[in-house]
């Protein structure tokens, strides 16, 4: 169970770091995949900030993986699952693409909860 929890955590962490790098270097291209129907033309600065925060969000679980405490990592993953959950709710609230809201943000949150439970119970 622990190995699966660590693998899921690594996938999520590396995935959000990759997304963050895209928000820094290709913000208009990656923003279209967030789920909103319109991306403001002058949003590059905000998207760059989002990229830096996404990278930081991905580094936190990686640091805890190196530290080697699965329970601490599990709690961080459980708490961090609210980030994609809120992304999903924001996309839905603003009448964005439901497939992306549920299929990307909702699924990411669910995977994080599963990883957290595996780490906490393992």
């Amino acid at each position: 169970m622990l190995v699966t929890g660590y693998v899921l955590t690594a996938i999520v962490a590396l995935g959000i770091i990759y997304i963050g790098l895209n928000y820094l270097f290709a913000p208009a291209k990656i923003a279209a995949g967030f789920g909103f129907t319109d991306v403001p033309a002058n949003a590059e600065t905000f998207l760059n900030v989002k990229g830096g925060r996404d990278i930081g969000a991905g580094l936190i679980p990686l640091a805890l993986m190196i530290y080697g405490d699965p329970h601490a990592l599990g709690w961080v993953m459980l708490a961090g699952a609210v980030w994609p959950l809120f992304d999903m709710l924001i996309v839905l609230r603003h009448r964005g693409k439901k497939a992306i809201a549920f299929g990307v943000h909702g699924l990411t949150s669910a995977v994080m909860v599963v990883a957290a439970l595996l780490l906490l119970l393992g």
Side-chain angles (χ1 to χ4, degrees):
M1 285 192 345
L2 281 178
V3 172
T4 304
Y6 274 110
V7 169
L8 291 175
T9 297
I11 291 169
V12 169
L14 294 172
I16 196 63
I17 290 170
Y18 173 77
I19 289 168
L21 289 169
N22 276 285
Y23 273 110
L24 288 177
F25 298 109
K29 181 179 177 184
I30 191 76
F34 189 83
F36 295 121
T37 53
D38 295 319
V39 177
N42 59 351
E44 184 171 323
T45 303
F46 170 75
L47 296 173
N48 289 160
V49 170
K50 180 184 175 356
R53 291 179 185 213
D54 283 353
I55 292 168
L59 290 174
I60 291 168
L62 291 180
L64 280 170
M65 287 176 71
I66 293 168
Y67 181 69
D69 184 347
H71 285 80
L73 179 57
W75 284 113
V76 165
M77 290 300 286
L78 191 59
V82 301
W83 284 325
L85 177 67
F86 277 109
D87 289 347
M88 179 188 79
L89 295 173
I90 291 166
V91 169
L92 292 172
R93 179 176 177 228
H94 293 279
R95 302 185 202 294
K97 298 174 184 171
K98 289 182 182 178
I100 292 176
F102 293 115
V104 174
H105 305 298
L107 182 62
T108 300
S109 183
V111 168
M112 291 176 75
V113 168
V114 169
L117 292 174
L118 292 170
L119 292 163
L120 290 169
L121 301 174

